[in-house]
Amino acid sequence: MMSDVPAGRPADLDWLLASFVQKVVHARSAVVASSDGVKKHVYGLDNDQADRLSAIATGLCSLGRGVGEFVDHGSGKVRQVVVEHEDALLFVSKAGPGAVLAVLTTHEADLSLVGYEMAQLVKSVASYLATPERVNMAPTNAVV
């Protein structure tokens, strides 16, 4: 599958989120975070907001996995979490291994359209959005 990422630009994908937000009607901002809540790429938020939204998004994915224990014996994967606020909608989905994508929209957004566009974005550039697992750098004989 062809990627939407231009050659030589995988390190900074803020431009990709900017393009996504500008394309999707009623979208306001987006962030890609590692599954442990560290902000990787952002558009439409200042640093503090992006850090907070990254933590919220990964927390919601974790809560979604917990729900799976009740309905799927914990074997299913969270596809999407949607939070409906009076003034906004927050969509969170997996964005490749070890990463999540969060999109904040106005309350007028079309839920199915936003979900579809998020899935298409992730499908086209998942390898660039993935976050490798962190390696424990402590010596094997270190006391923790």
Side-chain angles (χ1 to χ4, degrees), residues 10 19 37 41-42 46-47 50 71 77 80 91-92 113 127 130 132 135 142:
S19 175
H41 309 288
V42 62
D46 65 32
N47 271 338
V71 296
K77 294 182 181 178
Q80 186 177 57
F91 298 81
V92 180
L113 176 64
S127 63
V135 177

Side-chain angles (χ1 to χ4, degrees), residues 19-138:
S19 175
F20 177 86
V21 169
Q22 292 164 3
K23 171 184 166 184
V24 177
V25 178
H26 299 296
R28 295 185 351 206
S29 56
V31 64
V32 172
S34 64
S35 59
D36 58 357
V38 177
K39 165 189 69 191
K40 292 177 61 177
H41 309 288
V42 62
Y43 175 77
L45 300 167
D46 65 32
N47 271 338
D48 288 340
Q49 292 172 326
D51 286 340
R52 287 186 10 236
L53 188 57
S54 295
I56 290 167
T58 56
L60 287 170
C61 274
S62 179
L63 290 170
R65 282 191 303 275
V67 169
E69 294 175 15
F70 293 101
V71 296
D72 201 277
H73 307 293
S75 62
K77 294 182 181 178
V78 176
R79 284 193 246 169
Q80 186 177 57
V81 176
V82 179
V83 175
E84 185 176 359
H85 188 273
E86 185 175 335
D87 300 321
L89 296 167
L90 173 63
F91 298 81
V92 180
S93 68
K94 294 296 277 180
V100 298
L101 169 64
V103 176
L104 193 59
T105 72
T106 65
H107 68 279
E108 294 97 355
D110 180 331
L111 278 71
S112 59
L113 176 64
V114 176
Y116 172 80
E117 292 294 345
M118 289 174 70
Q120 293 305 306
L121 174 68
V122 169
K123 185 192 289 188
S124 67
V125 295
S127 63
Y128 294 104
L129 300 176
T131 301
E133 283 190 40
R134 298 191 197 291
V135 177
N136 184 359
M137 300 302 286

